[in-house]
């Protein structure tokens, strides 16, 4: 019922804009709109009360009323948006409105003919008639008197690191050690060691966590390794591609789409010959996918090992090999996991909470996800027995014989019910994604904004949406995904994506189907979560998953004209419905556009209300001119394109509402003017040309610029490169906050650089330079993120002093490709004014040239270091590996990557230092 509340929140501001905006409405029409706005405000208030009550506690009549109010609000918003677009003199050409019924049909036909106000009056009258009927039902069902649920408190402020630490460590050592012994025991004959072990257990029990822990512990003993998800509706071809990429990314990073399954199998077989491989096949639901996957693995070296995770013991028996049934956590481990999620220290636990704690843990049944989810809920509540008993009572009967899944569903639904309405609608929107999908944080945030799910809260819509994302992580309802390589993280965006746990996805699919929020068609055309008795006639959001029967299923639907969001996961050209049927589409996301050409893209021109367009994997060299007709477009995302450069159309400058363009590499053609793109704030992937920079310099609202500077072919001199970079920097807009430069050149220095924008917050120079620029000093008062690439450079004390004096710097990354032969050891001194805000330091170098004095970098929490221990020892003529890590008082996370495994004493010394550190930071050790 929260969905209806969200729909009203986007509609009411638009009605207010109609009255005060530039639509030249007559006084009488304005009065009617004000009356409509007033009536809808009452309905919105009632809907908010309904949204605060768990769905299973609502009267059926109230549910029907809320559903009708929601559908009405959608229809009104579609009509208002269409009028607002045309009310400024724009005309939609060639739109097929024959399938639009009822209110929207009248509105569309009327708007098409109307040129004056008295005809608009008829539309408002029809709307008011519908609204009055809904209002009468509200009074009849006494919706305004419905009891509100318990008040919500602030979200648990802890970050995802706590969740990961708890989930991965508690209760895992015993099972992991036993499986290592069974897989690798050297005292047992190799003939007796199982090649395959299946980990069997209910969803949420920690099978994937255990398998991943085994992989991380054992991968060094094998020649190669991979970890792949299978899931309920597997794409076998995609799985094989994933295996090849993990085995050899350089060779198979861009696999030809024409490769068929048999060719992929042969490639895997050839690679694994004479190699010992550690394989993890995660979340295997059925027998048939395994019968195909094993074809690629059957000829591997005898020493290879395969770890399977599955919920179904019959599948494990079919696979063969050993079976390990993962048990729920013990009472002690459950309690430890529970406490770690809520309390900073066990000393914070109060004895009066013990009774409620034991009741709750009994209902969780030792399922880690259930424990973490419930603990996350309690972390937002007052720490008193009364509140905890309330939570225990809400969970349900929780009889001892109930299956774990039933307990999990009860607990997850409770956690869902406790969300405020704006988080409920954002979580439900994620039910459109396939299992195990890695969902980009930015893509999620932008789509939420486009659909109107974000309620302004004193900050920008993007900042508010990112806050929603973080809240869902804090509540353990989505799982964060970190960048794989800590030395190439973009600024501080460590968490760049998320995933949904299977059980959470199952729950929100069911809830979404109940509320008619999203219609998802799976691989054979069946509808996810839908009752077999009926299919909803009206579809507001449509998601297609590798659905070969999608078009047949879709063509049976009468009201595709009301679809607001269309997401296609799989080959878009095989599933693509006719876009002209989607008259009010706001969001269009196509995951694999490799089969689309410019003819397919021309159909986009009729999507006048489209705000978010994501085309992943394009193979075209240019976008069609019809893109310029997308007058409402705010986000254009064409990253991961297969072509090296995509040419933007001349009509690009007509996209007056565009806020962001994100691409790998696009070129702006001569003749395109950007001065009318007054909303444009982010340009990522633009290729440098003099014309492009001239136009970019006119963008007064531009905040983010990522530009690729390609050296002119007629000259390869460094001087020419300097000139290109200088020209680019001189023409940057003054209000720029984020600047990322990329160029395949080496510059002597960047000291020629013109003064940088005064408000610059992030500067990432992905250009190799031979000296740290002199202009990087304390005058850059807003700079929080700095990344520089050095080539044969000597880092000198004065350079370090200037970096230390940056007053707002929180993130510093230095990548030194080759060191200077004169590099000396540099000391970071203890001083309140030295690196006063730095929390994250990442250095990739050949020689470790830093040493920290006691109290240095007082706020540093994360330190990532990649270096060559042997060459460092040779250069500085020392056999000690004392870098003063113990002197960093706030250290929490350490990542060390050594370039060679020839000096075990270096690893031993570093491990001892970190283990003895008073803060007990986590340590991630690896070798290249």
């Amino acid at each position: 019922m929260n969905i209806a509340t969200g729909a009203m929140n986007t509609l009411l501001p638009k009605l207010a804009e109609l009255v005060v905006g530039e639509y030249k409405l007559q006084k009488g029409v304005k009065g009617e709109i004000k009356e409509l706005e007033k009536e809808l405000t009452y309905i919105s208030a009632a809907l908010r009360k309904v949204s605060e009550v768990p769905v299973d506690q609502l009267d059926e009549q109230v549910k029907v009323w809320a559903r009708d109010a929601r559908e009405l609000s959608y229809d009104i918003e579609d009509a208002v948006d269409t009028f607002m677009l045309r009310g400024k003199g724009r005309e939609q050409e060639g739109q097929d409105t024959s399938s639009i019924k009822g209110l929207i049909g009248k509105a569309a036909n009327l708007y098409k003919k109307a040129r004056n106000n008295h005809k608009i009056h008829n539309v408002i009258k029809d709307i008011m008639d519908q609204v009055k009927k809904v209002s009468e039902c509200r009074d009849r069902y006494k919706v305004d008197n419905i009891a509100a649920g318990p008040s919500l408190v602030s979200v648990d402020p802890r970050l995802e690191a706590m969740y990961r630490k708890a989930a991965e460590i508690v209760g895992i050592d015993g099972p992991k050690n036993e499986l290592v012994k069974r897989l690798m025991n050297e005292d047992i004959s190799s003939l007796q060691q199982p090649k395959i072990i299946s980990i069997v257990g209910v969803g949420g029990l920690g099978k994937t966590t255990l398998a991943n822990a085994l992989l991380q512990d054992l991968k060094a003993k094998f020649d190669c390794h991979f970890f792949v998800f299978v899931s309920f509706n597997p794409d076998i071809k995609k799985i094989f591609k994933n295996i090849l990429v993990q085995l050899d990314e350089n060779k198979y990073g861009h696999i030809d789409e024409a490769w068929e399954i048999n060719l992929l199998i042969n490639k895997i077989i050839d690679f694994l010959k004479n190699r010992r491989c550690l394989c993890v096949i995660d979340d295997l639901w059925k027998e048939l996918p395994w019968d195909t996957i094993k074809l690629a693995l059957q000829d591997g070296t005898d020493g290879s090992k395969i770890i399977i995770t599955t919920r179904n013991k019959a599948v494990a028996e079919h696979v063969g090999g050993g079976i390990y049934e993962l048990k729920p956590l013990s009472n002690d481990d459950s309690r430890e996991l529970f406490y770690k999620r809520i309390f900073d220290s066990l000393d914070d636990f109060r004895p009066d909470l013990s009774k409620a704690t034991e009741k709750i843990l009994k209902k969780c049944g030792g399922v880690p996800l259930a424990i973490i989810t419930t603990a996350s809920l309690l972390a937002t509540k007052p720490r008193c027995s009364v509140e905890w008993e309330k939570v225990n009572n809400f969970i349900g009967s929780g009889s001892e014989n109930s299956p774990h899944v039933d307990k999990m569903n009860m607990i997850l639904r409770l956690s869902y019910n406790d969300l405020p309405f704006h988080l409920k609608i954002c979580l439900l929107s994620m039910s459109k994604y396939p299992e195990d999908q890695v969902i980009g944080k930015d893509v999620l945030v932008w789509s939420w904004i486009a659909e109107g799910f974000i309620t302004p809260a004193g900050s920008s819509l993007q900042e508010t949406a990112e806050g929603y994302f973080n809240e869902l992580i804090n509540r353990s309802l989505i799982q964060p995904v970190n960048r794989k390589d800590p030395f190439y993280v973009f600024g501080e965006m460590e968490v760049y994506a998320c995933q949904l746990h299977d059980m959470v996805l199952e729950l929100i699919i069911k809830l979404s189907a109940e509320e008619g929020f999203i219609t998802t068609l799976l691989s054979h055309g069946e509808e996810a979560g839908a009752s077999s008795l009926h299919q909803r006639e009206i579809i507001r959001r449509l998601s297609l998953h590798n659905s070969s029967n999608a078009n047949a299923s879709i063509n049976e639907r009468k009201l595709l004209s009301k679809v607001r969001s269309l997401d296609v996961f799989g080959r878009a050209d095989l599933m693509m419905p006719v876009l002209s049927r989607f008259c009010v589409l706001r969001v269009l996301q196509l995951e694999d556009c490799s089969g689309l050409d410019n003819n397919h893209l021309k159909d986009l021109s009729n999507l006048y209300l489209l705000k978010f367009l994501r085309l992943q994997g394009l193979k075209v060299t240019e976008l069609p001119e019809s893109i310029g007709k997308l007058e409402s477009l705010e986000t254009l995302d064409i990253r991961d394109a297969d072509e090296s450069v995509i040419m933007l159309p001349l009509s690009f400058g007509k996209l007056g509402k565009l806020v962001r363009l994100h691409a790998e590499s696009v070129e702006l053609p001569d003749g395109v003017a950007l001065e009318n793109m007054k909303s444009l704030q982010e340009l990522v992937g633009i290729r440098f040309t003099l014309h492009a920079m001239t136009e970019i310099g006119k963008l007064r609202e531009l905040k983010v610029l990522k530009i690729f500077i390609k050296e002119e072919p007629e000259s390869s001199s460094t001087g020419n490169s300097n000139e290109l970079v200088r020209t680019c920097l001189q023409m940057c807009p003054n209000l720029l906050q984020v600047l990322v430069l990329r160029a395949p050149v080496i510059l002597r220095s960047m000291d020629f650089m013109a003064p940088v924008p005064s408000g610059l917050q992030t500067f990432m120079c992905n250009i190799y330079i031979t000296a740290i620029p002199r202009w990087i000093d304390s005058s850059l008062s807003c700079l929080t993120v700095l990344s520089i690439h050095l080539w044969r450079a000597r880092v000198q004390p004065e350079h370090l002093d200037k970096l230390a004096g940056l007053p707002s710097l929180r993130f510093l990354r230095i990548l030194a490709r080759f060191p200077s032969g004169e590099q000396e050891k540099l000391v970071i001194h203890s001083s309140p004014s030295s690196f006063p805000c730095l929390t994250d330091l990442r250095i990739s170098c050949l020689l470790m040239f830093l040493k920290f004095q006691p109290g240095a970098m007082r706020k540093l929490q994360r330190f990532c270091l990649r270096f060559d221990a042997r060459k460092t020892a040779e250069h500085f003529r020392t056999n000690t590996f004392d870098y003063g890590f113990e002197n960093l008082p706030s250290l929490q996370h350490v990542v060390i990557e050594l370039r060679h495994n020839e000096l075990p004493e270096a690893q031993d010394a570093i491990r001892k230092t970190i283990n003895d550190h008073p803060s007990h930071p986590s340590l991630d050790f690896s070798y290249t």
Side-chain angles (χ1 to χ4, degrees):
M1 298 302 106
N2 54 87
I3 298 170
T5 311
M8 283 292 180
N9 282 349
T10 62
L11 173 59
L12 290 173
K14 291 176 182 178
L15 291 174
E17 184 182 347
L18 270 180
V19 175
V20 300
E22 47 184 299
Y23 299 95
K24 299 180 180 178
L25 299 179
Q26 292 177 351
K27 187 175 181 180
V29 175
K30 287 185 177 181
E32 291 172 345
I33 293 175
K34 287 182 178 179
E35 183 181 353
L36 173 62
E37 182 183 2
K38 181 179 179 180
E39 196 62 43
L40 289 176
T41 300
Y42 291 136
I43 294 176
S44 179
L47 284 170
R48 185 175 292 274
K49 287 185 177 181
V50 171
S51 72
E52 293 173 347
V53 178
V55 176
D56 54 3
Q57 297 180 21
L58 287 173
D59 183 88
E60 284 300 318
Q61 289 181 320
V62 174
K63 289 183 184 180
V64 172
W65 175 84
R67 182 199 63 201
D68 291 344
R70 177 192 70 208
E71 296 298 335
L72 176 61
S73 69
Y74 283 148
D75 287 342
I76 296 174
E77 186 177 26
D78 290 343
V80 169
D81 282 347
T82 302
F83 168 71
M84 291 176 75
L85 192 66
R86 295 182 178 183
K88 295 183 179 181
R90 298 175 174 89
E91 193 69 36
Q92 299 185 24
E93 300 173 1
Q95 178 172 310
D96 180 11
T97 59
S98 59
S99 64
I100 301 179
K101 303 294 184 182
L103 175 64
I104 299 302
K106 293 179 182 179
N109 291 330
L110 190 57
Y111 290 151
K112 193 171 183 180
K113 300 174 183 177
R115 293 291 185 274
N116 35 55
N117 278 270
H118 70 275
K119 292 186 178 181
I120 298 173
H121 161 78
N122 292 332
V123 177
I124 301 298
K125 185 176 182 300
D126 285 344
I127 291 174
M128 278 300 297
D129 290 343
Q130 297 290 332
V131 170
K132 286 179 180 177
K133 290 179 181 178
V134 171
S135 295
E136 289 171 0
C137 289
R138 184 186 83 231
D139 295 336
R140 189 182 312 132
Y141 302 147
K142 300 180 179 179
V143 174
D144 291 337
N145 297 328
I146 192 168
S151 60
L152 300 170
V153 296
S154 60
V155 176
D156 172 19
R158 296 168 179 80
L159 298 176
E160 44 82 25
M162 182 183 297
Y163 160 73
R164 290 177 59 236
K165 192 171 185 179
E168 293 174 1
I169 293 178
V170 175
I172 205 173
D173 287 341
K176 183 178 69 174
N177 293 338
E178 182 174 344
L179 284 169
V180 168
K181 180 186 289 187
R182 290 170 64 173
L183 280 168
M184 307 297 294
N185 195 333
E186 301 298 337
D187 296 330
I188 301 177
S189 161
S190 62
L191 295 177
Q192 294 176 309
Q193 291 181 30
K195 179 180 178 180
I196 303 175
I197 281 188
S198 293
I199 304 172
V200 180
V202 69
L205 205 54
K207 301 183 300 296
T208 300
T209 299
L210 178 56
N212 184 57
L214 285 167
L215 180 74
Q216 299 306 320
D217 279 10
L218 299 177
K219 64 184 181 183
K221 300 179 183 295
F222 292 81
D223 301 317
C224 54
H225 62 274
F226 65 80
F227 188 119
V228 291
F229 298 98
V230 179
S231 75
F232 187 77
N233 287 298
D235 181 344
I236 298 297
K237 190 174 180 180
K238 187 175 181 179
I239 289 170
F240 283 140
K241 289 179 182 179
N242 192 0
I243 291 173
L244 282 171
V245 170
Q246 291 187 53
L247 292 176
D248 191 340
E249 185 172 3
N250 291 330
K251 188 174 182 179
Y252 298 111
H254 299 282
I255 296 176
D256 191 334
E257 289 293 327
W259 285 12
E260 295 300 330
I261 288 180
N262 61 334
L263 179 57
L264 294 169
I265 290 174
N266 290 334
K267 293 290 184 182
I268 295 172
I269 291 174
D270 288 341
F271 186 92
L272 294 181
K273 281 181 180 177
N274 302 319
R275 287 186 171 98
R276 296 178 68 244
C277 185
L278 180 57
C279 319
V280 177
I281 313 295
D282 186 59
D283 201 20
L284 185 66
W285 284 70
K286 304 172 186 175
E287 298 171 0
L288 184 59
W290 166 250
D291 291 339
T292 306
I293 293 171
K294 74 177 181 182
L295 297 175
L297 307 178
Q298 58 189 354
D299 293 329
T301 303
D302 287 340
S304 294
K305 305 292 179 182
I306 301 173
I307 301 170
I308 303 286
T309 74
T310 180
R311 302 182 185 189
N312 191 334
K313 189 174 181 180
V315 172
E317 291 171 345
H318 174 79
V319 168
I323 294 179
Y324 182 84
E325 294 191 46
L326 185 60
K327 305 298 183 184
L329 295 179
S330 67
N331 290 337
D332 289 342
D333 285 336
S334 295
R335 200 174 296 110
E336 181 183 356
L337 177 58
F338 183 76
Y339 290 159
K340 281 190 173 184
R341 189 62 184 90
I342 300 177
F343 303 106
D344 294 326
S345 168
L346 290 181
D347 294 335
D348 296 334
F349 181 76
R350 290 167 35 189
D352 64 308
L353 298 174
S354 296
K355 188 176 180 180
T357 298
E358 294 307 314
K359 290 180 181 178
I360 291 169
L361 289 178
K362 183 179 179 182
K363 292 180 178 180
C364 289
V367 178
L369 181 62
I371 296 169
I372 291 169
T373 304
T374 309
S376 298
L377 173 62
L378 289 170
T380 70
K381 304 288 185 184
R383 295 177 183 175
C384 65
S385 58
V386 173
E387 288 294 327
W388 285 32
E389 285 288 353
K390 284 182 181 179
V391 170
N392 175 62
N393 293 333
F394 276 129
I395 290 176
S397 61
S399 63
E400 195 168 335
N401 295 323
S402 297
H404 290 304
V405 172
D406 291 342
K407 296 178 183 179
M408 189 68 249
N409 285 336
M410 286 187 294
I411 294 167
L412 286 176
R413 186 179 281 267
L414 170 64
S415 192
Y416 172 82
N417 288 339
D418 193 61
L419 292 173
F421 77 90
H422 60 271
L423 290 185
K424 285 179 179 175
I425 196 169
C426 288
L427 183 63
L428 281 188
S429 75
M430 298 173 71
S431 66
K432 67 185 179 182
Y433 288 98
E435 290 178 273
D436 303 321
Q437 180 88 0
V438 176
I439 309 165
K441 175 182 176 180
D442 49 8
V443 170
L444 200 57
V445 162
W446 298 334
S447 64
W448 288 345
I449 293 172
E451 285 226 57
F453 297 160
I454 308 303
T455 303
S459 56
S460 71
L461 288 177
Q462 177 141 346
E463 290 172 337
T464 303
E466 288 176 353
Y468 291 3
F469 180 90
N470 293 334
E471 283 189 62
L472 290 172
I473 287 178
N474 286 341
R475 291 171 179 259
S476 301
L477 287 168
I478 61 176
Q479 298 175 335
V481 176
N482 295 338
R483 302 273 180 189
K484 289 184 178 180
D485 190 339
F487 300 98
Y488 289 90
V489 172
F490 183 87
E492 296 174 290
M493 291 198 332
E494 190 77 28
V495 176
Y496 79 101
C498 69
Q499 284 183 293
L500 286 163
H501 190 282
D502 290 350
M503 302 194 78
V504 175
L505 180 58
E506 288 173 8
L507 173 68
I508 62 176
I509 286 174
K510 182 178 180 181
L511 292 171
S512 178
E514 288 175 1
E515 297 205 30
F517 187 55
I518 293 175
T519 300
T520 299
L521 299 184
L522 302 176
S523 55
H524 299 295
E526 67 270 23
E527 187 173 320
S531 167
S532 59
L533 299 178
H534 69 280
Q535 290 182 330
R536 292 184 60 83
E537 182 180 7
I538 298 177
I539 299 176
R540 298 291 181 179
R541 295 168 186 86
L542 179 61
S543 179
L544 309 178
H545 296 185
N546 294 309
S547 185
S548 57
N549 299 324
N551 278 318
S553 302
I554 293 171
N555 288 334
E556 297 174 0
R557 306 303 178 105
K558 305 294 185 183
L559 294 174
L560 290 182
S561 59
K562 296 192 176 187
V563 173
R564 303 161 73 88
S565 171
L566 173 62
D567 299 86
V568 178
F569 299 99
R571 280 286 296 273
D573 57 313
L574 301 179
M575 294 182 279
M576 202 62 183
V578 179
L579 289 177
S580 60
R581 298 184 64 185
F582 299 88
C583 309
V584 295
L585 202 65
R586 271 77 166 180
V587 170
L588 177 59
Q589 180 176 201
L590 309 181
E591 186 187 58
D592 182 357
C593 300
S594 57
L596 297 186
D597 56 28
N598 284 339
N599 288 327
H600 290 99
L601 298 178
K602 287 180 182 177
D603 289 340
L604 294 170
S605 60
N606 292 324
L607 306 180
Y608 296 97
L609 298 180
L610 193 68
K611 293 185 176 183
F612 173 85
L613 175 59
R614 178 175 180 252
L615 304 173
Q616 189 267 335
L618 277 175
K619 283 191 172 181
V620 300
T621 57
E622 59 183 18
L623 294 181
E625 284 295 317
S626 57
I627 290 287
K629 294 185 178 181
L630 302 179
E631 301 174 58
S632 302
L633 194 65
E634 296 174 354
T635 298
L636 177 57
D637 182 357
I638 52 173
R639 289 173 293 185
D640 303 317
D642 288 347
E643 296 298 327
S644 57
V645 180
I646 295 179
M647 181 66 73
L648 293 174
L650 289 171
S651 61
F652 178 73
K654 296 180 180 179
L655 299 176
K657 293 185 179 179
L658 193 71
V659 176
R660 60 191 65 85
L661 166 66
H662 281 244
E664 297 296 334
S665 182
V666 293
E667 187 166 328
L668 197 69
D670 292 342
V672 173
L674 304 184
E675 58 188 355
N676 292 326
M677 301 182 74
K678 301 185 185 304
S679 299
L680 198 56
Q681 296 181 18
E682 301 177 22
L683 273 176
V684 174
I686 290 287
R687 190 174 177 183
F688 173 85
T689 64
L690 189 58
H691 170 69
M693 285 310 305
T694 301
E695 293 301 316
I696 288 172
K698 300 175 183 177
L699 297 172
R700 297 291 172 248
E701 297 299 318
L702 195 68
K703 293 181 175 63
V704 177
L705 176 62
K706 182 176 181 180
I707 194 158
F708 177 66
I709 304 172
K710 184 172 177 61
E711 196 169 28
E712 296 298 328
E714 62 270 13
S715 172
S716 60
S717 67
T718 304
N720 185 58
S721 302
N722 286 345
E723 188 60 37
L724 291 176
V725 176
R726 179 190 292 116
T727 301
C728 170
L729 295 171
Q730 286 176 337
M731 304 177 79
C732 283
N734 290 331
L735 297 181
L736 203 64
Q737 296 177 0
V738 177
L739 176 61
V740 180
L741 298 179
R742 186 163 58 97
V745 296
I746 300 172
L747 304 180
R748 286 191 300 271
S749 74
M750 294 185 70
D751 289 338
F752 57 79
M753 183 173 174
V756 297
S758 59
L760 195 65
Q761 298 174 11
T762 296
F763 180 61
M764 308 197 75
C765 182
N766 296 338
I767 304 173
Y768 279 108
I769 53 180
T770 58
I772 295 178
R774 296 175 183 170
W775 48 265
I776 296 180
D777 56 31
S778 58
S779 63
L780 298 175
S781 59
C782 298
L783 194 66
T784 60
V785 175
L786 175 62
S787 173
I788 51 178
H789 291 200
L790 300 177
W791 179 274
R792 297 192 182 279
R794 177 189 176 193
V795 182
Q796 301 180 40
E798 56 266 30
H799 294 147
L800 209 56
D801 291 341
K802 285 191 174 185
L803 295 176
L806 292 168
S808 303
L809 191 67
R810 295 200 308 263
F811 177 98
L812 173 62
R813 179 175 62 189
I814 299 175
L815 303 182
R817 185 64 180 272
F818 292 104
S820 166
E822 301 175 353
Q823 181 64 59
E824 61 182 293
K825 182 79 74 173
L826 301 179
V827 176
I828 306 292
H829 298 283
S830 174
S831 169
S833 61
S834 177
F835 296 104
C837 296
L838 193 69
T839 59
D840 199 324
L841 176 63
R842 310 191 180 195
I843 298 179
S844 177
C845 56
L846 192 64
L847 306 178
M848 173 50 177
F849 56 90
L850 292 179
K851 182 166 183 179
F852 304 94
Q853 282 192 342
M857 292 188 177
R858 295 176 179 274
K859 294 187 178 180
L860 192 70
Q861 298 176 8
R862 180 184 293 272
F863 181 44
C864 302
L865 173 63
R866 174 191 288 161
F867 74 110
D868 188 315
R870 179 174 55 83
K871 289 190 179 296
T872 298
E874 291 173 355
H875 181 82
F876 293 111
R877 298 178 182 178
T878 179
N879 291 323
T880 61
F881 301 93
D882 177 16
Y883 304 114
F885 298 154
E886 71 277 8
N887 295 324
L888 301 169
S890 301
L891 201 58
Q892 296 179 11
H893 309 282
V894 179
V895 177
I896 302 291
E897 188 174 298
L898 298 182
R899 294 187 183 273
H900 298 286
N901 193 11
E902 299 175 3
L903 289 177
E905 58 268 32
Q907 177 177 341
D908 293 343
I910 293 173
R911 283 189 184 279
K912 186 177 187 308
T913 300
I914 299 303
N915 289 337
D916 293 342
H917 194 287
S919 297
H920 303 293
S922 64
L923 175 61
D924 184 0
F925 226 120
S926 61
Y927 293 92
T928 55

